[in-house]
Amino acid sequence: MRRFLFPALAVAIAGGAAAQAGLVSGGSAPSAQAAPLSALTPVQQRLVSGFARGAIERRAGLAPNALGKQPAQALQKSAQTGCPVDRGANVRVNQNCLNLTDPDLQGRGQAQNETAIAQDPNAPRRVVASSNDYRRGDGNCYSYYSGDGGRSWQDSTPPMGFTRGTSFGGAARQYWQAGGDTSVAWDTKGNAYLSCQMFMRGAAVSNNPDQSSAFYVFRSTGSGGASWNFPARPVVELNDVVGAGNALLDKQYMTIDAQRGSPFQDRIYVTWTLFAPDGTAYIYEAYSRDYGESFSAPKLVSTTSALCSNPLGGPTPQGTCNANQFSQPFTGPDGALYVVWDNYNVTGVRPGEGDDEGGADRSAAPPTGIDNRAQVLLAKSTDGGNTFSAPVKVADYYDLPDCETYQGQDPGVACVPEKGETANSYFRATNYPSAAANPRDPREIDVTFGSYINRHSNERLRNPCVPQGYNPDTFQPLYTGVKTAGACNNDILISRSTDGGRTFSGGSSDVRELPAARDGDSQADQFWQWAAFDPRGRLAVSFYDRAYGSDEQTGFSDVSLSGTQDGSSFGTTRVTTSSMPPATQFEGAFFGDYSGLSAGDVAHPAWMDTRDPDLLVCRDSAGNVTQPPSACTAGAPNAAQANDQNVYSESLGIPLK
């Protein structure tokens, strides 16, 4: 197997933070250093998000090519327009009609993925959603709004073409080529907010060497998400106008304390990962206390802990927890801020490395095979995001399996392989935490996360799923039973705290003992969940689900919604009205990293959906556009028909058992 390396995004960071992390506070950003890092470390490569990974690959000149040159007989003339159509109770959120993109750029100018959704706490029928939206060619931060509880939607376009250039050499403007990794939230005054990552792609794909990137927040004042302030306000800005390449900011997420009477009411929090030039990956947070007009200096979240027993051969300038990703901030009804994230400082990336005892607080014996656990950690702030507690263990978990080993596709990432001999499902996927605090009880914190080893793994039966360490070329997990029906499957699990985040049910118990959010299934994969409480204190969890029909054998997927009051017994209902085929755009390798859910009244899951066909301009056998031009559908290597990625949602009650 070939080793898969990602060239680094180059950054010099402005906006404030600990000097040891390479962040500087205040004023203009310095220029990038003259001696850039040529590549991320192997551990950083494993952790980088799908959206950033795609940007890195394209900087290296790897153009997306979902369909290649289709033979004329593979193209079928179509009368479809690619305009929005609801699918029963599944409502199309993005309202654009599909652009007809050239075959070698499928997904560009077309796709929408990585969804977020939020409701106005004062008027829950007002809803905003967001996604990575590629309709302008490259990825952009787009938003959508509804005033009728999600029954109908309109598009809105955040003005992200340029921001003020003060931190980029004192220029009047800093222009941006692309953006994404969005999230949305509301304050108690009826303002909606959108968090957006923006970046430049550099000399690999243009004549501009600039590889700067930044996190920004937009505010929608008075229009419920129909319009946004301009320019967006910076959270962290990264000056690399010279294209040096020595670090990466990745995977930000935003929340707002929308609890009336909270000591930090309407404070905005953003967290993210800094992939630093020294090979570390720490979690940081910044906050705004003036409705998004300005943000604090970044604060370190992932501090040192005995839970992080294996530094993976890297330095520990900010503490022993030096390999982290996928953070999510959320607040409790008492104003406490929590940040939950994935941590990888448990087992090594090669056989024989790592913590054989599984950490000081693990009570169960290590499993057979070669352990490849990671862990979910949580830190708490009671002073509005200025300082954080030491990390607390939420649970162990096992990430999804190496895609190249089991599907022969998409090297360097994990995915969700279907069972059997086909290899249709190879879009990048990973397990991450999504958590929420009970609005009626500040002591109750529920954290959901995916785990490939769980109570349904059957490790000691004839048809087992057993960890087998990591692929040394891709640093992704290996297991026996990945392609065997009834062996491995990914579950969405829950770990609960009843003491305000000091301890969790999964912190000292084996992950195989934790309850699963999917009721009535023990063999199919569930992944890409999100969690939210409704005002009555009922937890809702939405997720992709392969428990319907032949999904587990074909690589199709559905979306389900589960609900619980006690954190252990769940009711489950199917949300999608029919199954979604494997994604085909972006060569079938990128379908986003996460989905969204809000439960301000009823549940509102928002997901990326592949049931709409992709459309191309019809071509002859030589690849020339037929005259006169017309629209065609096409086949794809991993699906009978190439498909488009769109955002769908539904409003439905939370199922309880």
Side-chain angles (χ1 to χ4, degrees):
M1 297 177 185
R2 63 189 178 93
R3 191 174 300 278
F4 195 70
L5 299 178
F6 303 141
L9 290 179
V11 294
I13 303 171
Q20 299 95 320
L23 305 179
V24 295
S25 60
S28 299
S31 297
Q33 298 301 309
L37 186 69
S38 61
L40 299 180
T41 68
V43 172
Q44 289 176 320
Q45 293 165 28
R46 178 194 169 195
L47 305 185
V48 71
S49 73
F51 183 72
R53 175 179 179 265
I56 293 167
E57 287 181 342
R58 289 184 291 277
R59 284 195 177 115
L62 303 177
N65 182 357
L67 302 179
K69 182 182 286 188
Q70 288 281 322
Q73 62 269 24
L75 300 174
Q76 298 292 326
K77 189 174 291 188
S78 175
Q80 297 188 68
T81 63
C83 293
V85 176
D86 295 342
R87 294 180 173 274
N90 299 167
V91 178
R92 170 87 170 260
V93 174
N94 57 294
Q95 294 299 300
N96 61 299
C97 296
L98 181 65
N99 294 321
L100 303 187
T101 294
D102 283 352
D104 65 328
L105 291 170
Q106 287 299 295
R108 297 285 151 192
Q110 298 178 311
Q112 287 81 27
N113 53 47
E114 291 189 355
T115 58
I117 189 169
Q119 295 171 262
D120 184 343
N122 300 317
R125 290 176 61 81
R126 295 211 303 168
V127 192
V128 292
S130 64
S131 76
N132 301 340
D133 194 311
Y134 293 82
R135 72 181 70 179
R136 293 182 63 242
D138 214 330
N140 282 255
C141 303
Y142 261 73
S143 52
Y144 323 97
Y145 64 97
S146 172
D148 58 8
R151 288 203 298 269
S152 63
W153 292 86
Q154 299 292 325
D155 292 349
S156 60
T157 305
M160 58 163 287
F162 69 85
T163 56
R164 298 193 188 279
T166 306
S167 294
F168 302 91
R173 299 178 181 180
Q174 170 66 21
Y175 284 91
W176 301 104
Q177 294 171 332
D181 272 359
T182 65
S183 53
V184 287
W186 295 77
D187 65 20
T188 63
K189 306 300 189 300
N191 301 303
Y193 297 80
L194 169 70
S195 171
C196 175
Q197 179 190 26
M198 304 182 197
F199 57 88
M200 298 290 286
R201 295 205 180 277
V205 295
S206 74
N207 59 5
N208 186 344
D210 190 358
Q211 294 187 47
S212 298
S213 65
F215 298 146
Y216 292 94
V217 168
F218 292 94
R219 183 183 63 246
S220 178
T221 305
S223 68
S227 63
W228 302 93
N229 67 314
F230 177 75
R233 305 308 195 237
V235 180
V236 179
E237 295 176 304
L238 308 129
N239 176 358
D240 187 15
V241 296
V242 300
N246 63 356
L248 169 65
L249 282 175
D250 194 24
K251 195 50 67 182
Q252 89 284 7
Y253 212 85
M254 174 182 65
T255 195
I256 298 177
D257 187 343
Q259 179 67 39
R260 290 189 177 275
S262 165
F264 307 107
Q265 181 176 329
D266 294 331
R267 185 165 293 200
I268 305 168
Y269 301 100
V270 180
T271 63
W272 66 89
T273 305
L274 169 63
F275 292 107
D278 62 4
T280 58
Y282 290 104
I283 303 296
Y284 288 87
E285 171 266 344
Y287 63 82
S288 173
R289 54 186 181 184
D290 57 7
Y291 298 94
E293 286 297 312
S294 62
F295 281 82
S296 70
K299 316 293 182 182
L300 178 67
V301 177
S302 54
T303 56
T304 195
S305 171
L307 295 167
C308 301
S309 56
N310 183 359
L312 302 175
T316 56
Q318 303 294 315
T320 56
C321 300
N322 66 352
N324 311 279
Q325 179 63 308
F326 299 107
S327 64
Q328 182 220 348
F330 62 100
T331 60
D334 56 355
L337 168 66
Y338 300 89
V339 182
V340 66
W341 71 92
D342 284 348
N343 172 266
Y344 304 88
N345 294 116
V346 184
T347 55
V349 295
R350 296 183 187 276
E353 294 182 343
D355 172 21
D356 290 337
E357 300 303 322
D361 63 346
R362 183 177 172 85
S363 61
T368 58
I370 303 170
D371 199 8
N372 51 21
R373 280 175 296 119
Q375 60 187 346
V376 177
L377 299 180
L378 175 141
K380 180 178 181 178
S381 175
T382 57
D383 59 4
N386 283 293
T387 61
F388 287 86
S389 68
V392 172
K393 185 172 182 176
V394 175
D396 289 322
Y397 79 97
Y398 290 79
D399 219 336
L400 290 159
D402 179 54
C403 204
E404 186 178 31
T405 297
Y406 303 106
Q407 300 292 79
Q409 300 279 350
D410 210 3
V413 306
C415 62
V416 193
E418 75 272 31
K419 301 300 186 285
E421 296 181 359
T422 61
N424 297 323
S425 174
Y426 48 84
F427 54 84
R428 172 234 161 85
T430 193
N431 285 325
Y432 58 79
S434 174
N438 190 331
R440 294 199 165 195
D441 184 355
R443 299 168 299 175
E444 183 184 326
I445 311 297
D446 285 347
V447 181
T448 64
F449 56 95
S451 182
Y452 209 61
I453 296 294
N454 48 69
R455 62 169 56 184
H456 301 134
S457 299
N458 303 320
E459 290 168 84
R460 290 170 177 83
L461 300 180
R462 188 179 66 176
N463 198 24
C465 180
V466 180
Q468 293 296 328
Y470 294 89
N471 181 336
D473 293 314
T474 64
F475 302 99
Q476 295 294 339
L478 302 175
Y479 305 87
T480 60
V482 170
K483 298 287 287 180
T484 303
C488 293
N489 74 99
N490 202 65
D491 277 0
I492 303 303
L493 308 181
I494 182 171
S495 179
R496 171 171 284 189
S497 173
T498 57
D499 55 13
R502 288 194 295 272
T503 62
F504 281 86
S505 57
S508 58
S509 60
D510 194 298
V511 69
R512 299 159 182 80
E513 300 170 358
L514 295 179
R518 176 58 161 94
D519 176 54
D521 173 72
S522 62
Q523 296 189 349
D525 290 303
Q526 289 85 37
F527 57 99
W528 281 350
Q529 89 290 353
W530 208 257
F533 276 100
D534 74 357
R536 298 167 60 183
R538 302 179 299 181
L539 181 70
V541 186
S542 61
F543 47 87
Y544 284 73
D545 191 357
R546 289 185 174 167
Y548 301 101
S550 60
D551 286 2
E552 190 74 355
Q553 289 72 46
T554 61
F556 280 53
S557 299
D558 280 88
V559 171
S560 289
L561 176 72
S562 290
T564 184
Q565 290 179 309
D566 60 11
S568 59
S569 58
F570 287 82
T572 301
T573 188
R574 185 178 185 175
V575 178
T576 40
T577 55
S578 59
S579 297
M580 302 175 288
T584 63
Q585 291 176 330
F586 306 105
E587 294 185 306
F590 184 56
F591 189 31
D593 273 339
Y594 56 90
S595 63
L597 173 69
S598 180
D601 47 3
V602 295
H604 299 267
W607 66 92
M608 43 273 189
D609 195 299
T610 57
R611 287 176 290 177
D612 295 326
D614 200 355
L615 296 175
L616 306 87
V617 175
C618 298
R619 296 172 182 266
D620 61 24
S621 58
N624 301 311
V625 174
T626 58
Q627 302 294 321
S630 56
C632 274
T633 58
N638 63 330
Q641 185 178 70
N643 52 68
D644 185 27
Q645 300 176 20
N646 288 303
V647 181
Y648 278 79
S649 183
E650 184 176 339
S651 305
L652 68 164
I654 299 173
L656 297 174
K657 194 170 185 178

